[in-house]
């Protein structure tokens, strides 16, 4: 690794505070040089959480201070302008998901980054979820995979992004679809249902079920809710040689909310609770599967290496555009009551 990458964090709401800053700090190859927020309460949190890290009023001020890259984790309807501003200044960008409202918007941002000669990665950090990494390690034991179901229900009514640019499909749905693409490859057809509520900023999807057929032959389904007062994280995978069942927890998020930080002890970070381990079922019987380690910090470690030309981007924009294409198809399917072919 060459010089330490100088990174700025734009936004310090729940995303910046819980999903970005703790993992940035766990990567020695990155120096967090500044946070952009004008909110007095957020400024106080930065001072408490990140002593000595500068706070800026705007992205422009941060860029003037000198950074190699920025993470944009502001509300979805502000991301396009901020990504374009950073790209125009020749700075590498990590964009939170959804990094665009649709695939066309994603292609615009990717083209701008390519034209400027900078990297644009999308923060699909849940490729490093504990349960996903554990599942990926047992797939070979199932023989040919036939079908996969992923359910992620959250009891968080207050955190639902409202209005036309928000909704749960663009938010959590982006992660769950990306995980299926990472596991099983490109999608050929999409069929979806969305649950809707009326909110002050407009009609908002608050739950979904999306089914996909992959070119690999796998049929996958992802579903989630956020306002139905239930919390669950479940996987079901069926294959020619058996099945795998996981009823786990959102391990790394739970650890962060408990006040733990990966920088304190990476060796013990991101392991599932012993009483919530997954089980592999085959002709040989039931076998409890040890937890793989979840490591969101790996996203930032790989991004720093890519900036230093020592490896590929963790989630290049083109891969996130593929996820957006599935989300676009899901909305079209739910609206028209049809199966959409990509």
């Amino acid at each position: 690794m060459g010089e330490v990458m100088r990174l700025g964090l734009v936004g310090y709401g729940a995303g910046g505070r819980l999903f970005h800053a703790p993992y940035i700090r766990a990567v020695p190859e990155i120096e967090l040089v500044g946070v952009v927020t004008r909110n007095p309460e957020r400024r106080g949190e930065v001072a408490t959480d990140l002593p000595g890290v500068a706070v800026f009023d705007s992205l422009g001020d941060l860029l003037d201070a000198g950074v190699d890259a920025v993470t944009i984790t502001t509300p979805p309807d502000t991301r396009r302008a901020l990504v374009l501003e950073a790209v125009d200044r020749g700075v590498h960008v990590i964009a939170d998901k959804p990094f665009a409202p649709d695939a066309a918007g994603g292609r615009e941002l990717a083209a701008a980054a390519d034209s400027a000669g900078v990297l644009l990665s999308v923060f699909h950090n849940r490729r490093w979820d504990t349960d996903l990494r554990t599942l990926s390690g047992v797939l070979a034991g199932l023989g040919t995979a036939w079908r996969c179901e992923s359910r992620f229900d959250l009891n968080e009514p207050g955190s639902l992004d409202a209005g036309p640019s928000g909704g749960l499909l663009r938010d959590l749905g982006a992660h769950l679809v990306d995980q299926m693409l990472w596991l099983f490859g490109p999608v050929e057809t999409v069929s979806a249902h969305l649950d809707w509520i009326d909110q002050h900023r407009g009609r908002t999807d608050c739950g979904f079920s999306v089914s996909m057929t992959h070119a690999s032959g796998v049929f996958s389904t992802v579903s989630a809710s956020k306002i139905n007062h239930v919390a669950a994280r479940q996987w079901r995978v069926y294959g020619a040689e058996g099945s795998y069942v996981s009823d786990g927890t959102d391990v790394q998020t739970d650890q962060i909310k408990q006040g733990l930080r990966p920088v304190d002890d990476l060796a013990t970070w991101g392991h599932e609770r012993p009483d919530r381990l997954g089980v592999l079922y085959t002709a040989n019987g039931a076998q409890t599967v040890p937890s793989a380690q979840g490591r969101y910090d790996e996203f930032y470690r790989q991004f720093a290496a890519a900036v230093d030309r020592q490896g590929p981007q963790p989630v290049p924009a083109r891969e996130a555009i593929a996820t957006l294409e599935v989300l676009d198809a899901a909305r079209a399917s739910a609206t028209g009551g049809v199966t959409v072919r990509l």
Side-chain angles (χ1 to χ4, degrees):
M1 181 73 188
E3 295 183 1
V4 171
M5 184 183 78
R6 290 172 54 84
L7 177 72
L9 179 59
V10 185
Y12 205 68
R17 189 181 192 195
L18 302 180
F19 287 96
H20 289 280
Y23 300 102
I24 294 169
R25 293 183 63 215
V27 181
E29 297 87 355
I30 299 177
E31 177 189 0
L32 180 58
V33 298
V35 175
V36 176
T37 179
R38 288 191 291 267
N39 183 297
E41 181 180 351
R42 300 286 181 260
R43 283 174 165 258
E45 290 171 345
V46 173
T48 299
D49 300 340
L50 308 168
V53 174
V55 181
F56 298 90
D57 287 331
S58 69
L59 173 58
D61 291 342
L62 171 65
L63 297 174
D64 289 342
V67 292
D68 302 306
V70 294
T71 293
I72 308 296
T73 181
T74 57
D77 56 1
T78 68
R79 288 180 195 154
R80 175 183 178 274
L82 292 171
V83 169
L84 290 174
E85 180 181 354
V87 164
D88 187 59
R89 293 282 295 270
V91 171
H92 305 292
V93 176
I94 295 169
D96 218 336
K97 57 76 215 158
F99 85 115
D102 51 34
R107 286 189 283 270
E108 176 199 13
L109 297 182
D114 288 343
S115 179
V118 299
L119 302 181
L120 173 58
S121 281
V122 180
F123 195 61
H124 284 303
N125 59 305
R126 288 192 176 277
R127 291 189 185 186
W128 289 268
D129 267 353
T130 300
D131 54 8
L132 181 70
R133 291 286 163 163
T134 305
L135 165 59
S136 69
V138 302
L139 274 179
L142 298 177
T144 301
W146 292 339
R147 181 162 52 95
C148 182
E149 302 171 0
S150 168
R151 173 189 172 209
F152 202 161
D153 292 324
L154 292 167
N155 184 16
E156 298 179 3
S159 67
L160 180 66
D161 289 328
S165 65
L168 192 59
L169 181 67
R170 285 192 176 96
D171 180 16
L172 188 54
H175 280 311
L176 301 188
V177 167
D178 179 73
Q179 288 181 335
M180 289 300 188
L181 292 173
W182 183 76
L183 283 171
F184 302 117
V187 165
E188 293 183 337
T189 65
V190 179
S191 180
H193 167 83
L194 300 179
D195 302 323
W196 295 92
I197 58 171
D198 291 320
Q199 293 197 317
H200 66 286
R201 292 182 59 189
R203 195 165 180 250
T204 305
D205 62 273
C206 59
F208 59 81
S209 178
V210 179
S211 294
M212 298 160 277
T213 57
H214 297 256
S216 61
V218 176
F219 179 81
S220 68
T221 300
V222 296
S223 65
S225 66
K226 209 168 194 178
I227 69 165
N228 296 101
H229 311 294
V230 62
R233 183 67 183 116
Q234 300 175 330
W235 286 92
R236 301 288 186 273
V237 190
Y238 305 90
E241 302 298 329
S243 59
Y244 175 75
V245 173
S246 168
D247 293 277
T249 60
D250 193 5
V251 180
Q252 296 178 80
T253 302
D254 290 347
Q255 287 182 300
I256 289 290
K257 291 180 177 180
Q258 292 164 13
L260 304 175
R261 294 296 182 265
V263 71
D264 297 329
D265 188 1
L266 267 176
T268 62
W269 187 261
H271 293 281
E272 183 56 89
R273 289 166 32 188
D275 63 319
R276 300 297 289 272
L277 296 176
V279 180
L280 178 66
Y281 296 92
T282 68
N284 296 322
Q287 175 186 351
T288 300
V289 179
S291 172
Q293 187 176 24
R295 290 282 299 271
Y296 293 160
D297 58 294
E298 274 300 315
F299 178 98
Y300 273 103
R301 188 169 286 103
Q302 291 182 24
F303 185 79
V307 169
D308 198 37
R309 301 181 184 275
Q310 300 298 313
Q313 296 185 66
V315 186
R318 67 178 181 277
E319 295 181 8
I321 290 169
T323 294
L324 290 172
E325 289 172 343
V326 174
L327 298 184
D328 289 350
R331 282 191 290 274
S333 172
T335 300
V338 297
T339 296
V340 176
R341 180 169 292 277
L342 296 181

